[in-house]
Amino acid sequence: MQNLLESMRDRVLKHFAASQMTTPVPRISVAISRGVGDPENTMCGPGFCLVVQGTKQLAIGNQALQQDAGRSFASLVELPATRCLFETANREPYVAVGLTVDPGLLGELLADLPPLSQRSEPSSFSMADETPELLQAWNQHLALLDAPDDIAALSRPRERELLYRLLQSGHGGVLRQFVWEEGSLAQIRKAVAWMRGHFDQSVPIKALAEIAAMSVPSFNRHFKSATATSPLQYQKTLRLQAARELLFKGNDVTRTAQAVGYDSVSQFSREYARRFQCSPKQDALAMREERAGPPVPMI
């Protein structure tokens, strides 16, 4: 397994230099970080993240998770989190690869597999150790970076194999819920999708509960179970993350606050500073100096 991890690490470092970025292989992203990063408030995007080298620490709600090389994290919804990345003791960079799930391809694969006799307990995220078969599937998929002419013909079957191996892993329960259309998590995902598309609007909890087809108490309970936060705090996090992107693109603080749904610029600045530990103006300047691109959900 160590040889497979080293092969993946070498391939990522051969093609990419730093930060997080998408790749020519559909739905595959990579992340590289050197040194020991400060704790960062971010959003863990839905999908899978495999740490290839180094360590990632995550705090989601009151849960503290450590992801060492060879461990993967799966999320069903976009989760507010605090993360910290560490290079190795030998000062080699943190390297990770990510997969965004294609529900259509996953649905086709599940249609070809025997149905489950019993469904696992619903969960919106999971951590698991990789198996040799799963690492081999990751490695084969990443090998397309070395053969870009093969991507169009081979990426889909290799992605299907990777999804198949993920279904057999400790992430199988989370992965199946990407296509299940019933149950509490599926209902919460509908509300989360609506919130992500309308984060700049003030929406009563009752309206969100109706989208999820739940009572308000049930919605609040299931929402916090799925996202480790309240609906109100989740919406605030979405707004502030969107604000970071607008500030990076050059918007001023006043226009940014209005664009993400704040009536008060001073309230926006206070909440922004609490989340990102600096004022919007200071953060925008730092991002333009340090980042090659706008902030994105981290893997």
PDB file of all heavy atoms in Angstrom, residues 221-233:
ATOM      1  N   ARG A 221     -33.509  19.050  14.405  1.00  0.00           N
ATOM      2  CA  ARG A 221     -32.763  17.916  14.943  1.00  0.00           C
ATOM      3  C   ARG A 221     -31.985  17.192  13.857  1.00  0.00           C
ATOM      4  O   ARG A 221     -30.781  16.925  13.993  1.00  0.00           O
ATOM      5  CB  ARG A 221     -33.713  16.956  15.658  1.00  0.00           C
ATOM      6  CG  ARG A 221     -33.006  15.787  16.344  1.00  0.00           C
ATOM      7  CD  ARG A 221     -33.975  14.926  17.122  1.00  0.00           C
ATOM      8  NE  ARG A 221     -34.918  14.199  16.277  1.00  0.00           N
ATOM      9  CZ  ARG A 221     -36.199  14.539  16.124  1.00  0.00           C
ATOM     10  NH1 ARG A 221     -36.696  15.597  16.745  1.00  0.00           N
ATOM     11  NH2 ARG A 221     -36.987  13.822  15.348  1.00  0.00           N
ATOM     12  N   HIS A 222     -32.639  16.886  12.744  1.00  0.00           N
ATOM     13  CA  HIS A 222     -31.973  16.153  11.665  1.00  0.00           C
ATOM     14  C   HIS A 222     -30.931  17.021  10.957  1.00  0.00           C
ATOM     15  O   HIS A 222     -29.892  16.513  10.512  1.00  0.00           O
ATOM     16  CB  HIS A 222     -33.008  15.645  10.659  1.00  0.00           C
ATOM     17  CG  HIS A 222     -33.806  14.479  11.143  1.00  0.00           C
ATOM     18  ND1 HIS A 222     -33.257  13.247  11.397  1.00  0.00           N
ATOM     19  CD2 HIS A 222     -35.133  14.361  11.437  1.00  0.00           C
ATOM     20  CE1 HIS A 222     -34.194  12.417  11.808  1.00  0.00           C
ATOM     21  NE2 HIS A 222     -35.339  13.070  11.843  1.00  0.00           N
ATOM     22  N   PHE A 223     -31.196  18.314  10.851  1.00  0.00           N
ATOM     23  CA  PHE A 223     -30.236  19.200  10.199  1.00  0.00           C
ATOM     24  C   PHE A 223     -28.930  19.240  10.982  1.00  0.00           C
ATOM     25  O   PHE A 223     -27.837  19.129  10.409  1.00  0.00           O
ATOM     26  CB  PHE A 223     -30.806  20.609  10.059  1.00  0.00           C
ATOM     27  CG  PHE A 223     -30.007  21.499   9.147  1.00  0.00           C
ATOM     28  CD1 PHE A 223     -30.369  21.649   7.815  1.00  0.00           C
ATOM     29  CD2 PHE A 223     -28.892  22.193   9.608  1.00  0.00           C
ATOM     30  CE1 PHE A 223     -29.623  22.457   6.961  1.00  0.00           C
ATOM     31  CE2 PHE A 223     -28.141  22.999   8.769  1.00  0.00           C
ATOM     32  CZ  PHE A 223     -28.511  23.130   7.440  1.00  0.00           C
ATOM     33  N   LYS A 224     -29.033  19.394  12.302  1.00  0.00           N
ATOM     34  CA  LYS A 224     -27.822  19.443  13.115  1.00  0.00           C
ATOM     35  C   LYS A 224     -27.096  18.108  13.108  1.00  0.00           C
ATOM     36  O   LYS A 224     -25.858  18.046  13.125  1.00  0.00           O
ATOM     37  CB  LYS A 224     -28.156  19.857  14.545  1.00  0.00           C
ATOM     38  CG  LYS A 224     -26.912  20.121  15.378  1.00  0.00           C
ATOM     39  CD  LYS A 224     -27.198  20.941  16.613  1.00  0.00           C
ATOM     40  CE  LYS A 224     -25.902  21.341  17.306  1.00  0.00           C
ATOM     41  NZ  LYS A 224     -26.144  22.174  18.499  1.00  0.00           N
ATOM     42  N   SER A 225     -27.845  17.007  13.070  1.00  0.00           N
ATOM     43  CA  SER A 225     -27.220  15.686  12.992  1.00  0.00           C
ATOM     44  C   SER A 225     -26.431  15.521  11.694  1.00  0.00           C
ATOM     45  O   SER A 225     -25.351  14.923  11.677  1.00  0.00           O
ATOM     46  CB  SER A 225     -28.296  14.602  13.098  1.00  0.00           C
ATOM     47  OG  SER A 225     -27.737  13.324  12.919  1.00  0.00           O
ATOM     48  N   ALA A 226     -26.966  16.074  10.592  1.00  0.00           N
ATOM     49  CA  ALA A 226     -26.320  15.911   9.286  1.00  0.00           C
ATOM     50  C   ALA A 226     -25.147  16.857   9.086  1.00  0.00           C
ATOM     51  O   ALA A 226     -24.152  16.496   8.446  1.00  0.00           O
ATOM     52  CB  ALA A 226     -27.347  16.124   8.171  1.00  0.00           C
ATOM     53  N   THR A 227     -25.242  18.088   9.610  1.00  0.00           N
ATOM     54  CA  THR A 227     -24.243  19.116   9.302  1.00  0.00           C
ATOM     55  C   THR A 227     -23.432  19.563  10.502  1.00  0.00           C
ATOM     56  O   THR A 227     -22.497  20.358  10.353  1.00  0.00           O
ATOM     57  CB  THR A 227     -24.908  20.362   8.693  1.00  0.00           C
ATOM     58  OG1 THR A 227     -25.731  20.980   9.694  1.00  0.00           O
ATOM     59  CG2 THR A 227     -25.763  19.990   7.488  1.00  0.00           C
ATOM     60  N   ALA A 228     -23.779  19.090  11.693  1.00  0.00           N
ATOM     61  CA  ALA A 228     -23.107  19.471  12.946  1.00  0.00           C
ATOM     62  C   ALA A 228     -23.270  20.948  13.258  1.00  0.00           C
ATOM     63  O   ALA A 228     -22.471  21.521  13.998  1.00  0.00           O
ATOM     64  CB  ALA A 228     -21.624  19.088  12.910  1.00  0.00           C
ATOM     65  N   THR A 229     -24.285  21.577  12.711  1.00  0.00           N
ATOM     66  CA  THR A 229     -24.553  22.983  12.992  1.00  0.00           C
ATOM     67  C   THR A 229     -26.041  23.252  12.804  1.00  0.00           C
ATOM     68  O   THR A 229     -26.777  22.404  12.298  1.00  0.00           O
ATOM     69  CB  THR A 229     -23.712  23.904  12.086  1.00  0.00           C
ATOM     70  OG1 THR A 229     -23.813  25.246  12.529  1.00  0.00           O
ATOM     71  CG2 THR A 229     -24.168  23.811  10.631  1.00  0.00           C
ATOM     72  N   SER A 230     -26.485  24.435  13.203  1.00  0.00           N
ATOM     73  CA  SER A 230     -27.892  24.797  13.051  1.00  0.00           C
ATOM     74  C   SER A 230     -28.151  25.360  11.658  1.00  0.00           C
ATOM     75  O   SER A 230     -27.216  25.814  10.979  1.00  0.00           O
ATOM     76  CB  SER A 230     -28.271  25.857  14.096  1.00  0.00           C
ATOM     77  OG  SER A 230     -27.598  27.080  13.803  1.00  0.00           O
ATOM     78  N   PRO A 231     -29.413  25.361  11.197  1.00  0.00           N
ATOM     79  CA  PRO A 231     -29.706  25.958   9.884  1.00  0.00           C
ATOM     80  C   PRO A 231     -29.268  27.419   9.784  1.00  0.00           C
ATOM     81  O   PRO A 231     -28.716  27.837   8.757  1.00  0.00           O
ATOM     82  CB  PRO A 231     -31.230  25.814   9.764  1.00  0.00           C
ATOM     83  CG  PRO A 231     -31.573  24.661  10.639  1.00  0.00           C
ATOM     84  CD  PRO A 231     -30.609  24.725  11.787  1.00  0.00           C
ATOM     85  N   LEU A 232     -29.486  28.197  10.846  1.00  0.00           N
ATOM     86  CA  LEU A 232     -29.107  29.605  10.816  1.00  0.00           C
ATOM     87  C   LEU A 232     -27.598  29.772  10.690  1.00  0.00           C
ATOM     88  O   LEU A 232     -27.112  30.581   9.893  1.00  0.00           O
ATOM     89  CB  LEU A 232     -29.614  30.307  12.077  1.00  0.00           C
ATOM     90  CG  LEU A 232     -29.334  31.819  12.176  1.00  0.00           C
ATOM     91  CD1 LEU A 232     -30.003  32.561  11.027  1.00  0.00           C
ATOM     92  CD2 LEU A 232     -29.798  32.354  13.525  1.00  0.00           C
ATOM     93  N   GLN A 233     -26.839  28.992  11.464  1.00  0.00           N
ATOM     94  CA  GLN A 233     -25.383  29.080  11.398  1.00  0.00           C
ATOM     95  C   GLN A 233     -24.867  28.578  10.052  1.00  0.00           C
ATOM     96  O   GLN A 233     -23.892  29.112   9.503  1.00  0.00           O
ATOM     97  CB  GLN A 233     -24.755  28.276  12.536  1.00  0.00           C
ATOM     98  CG  GLN A 233     -23.256  28.475  12.696  1.00  0.00           C
ATOM     99  CD  GLN A 233     -22.878  29.906  13.010  1.00  0.00           C
ATOM    100  OE1 GLN A 233     -23.543  30.561  13.824  1.00  0.00           O
ATOM    101  NE2 GLN A 233     -21.843  30.423  12.372  1.00  0.00           N
TER     102      GLN A 233
END
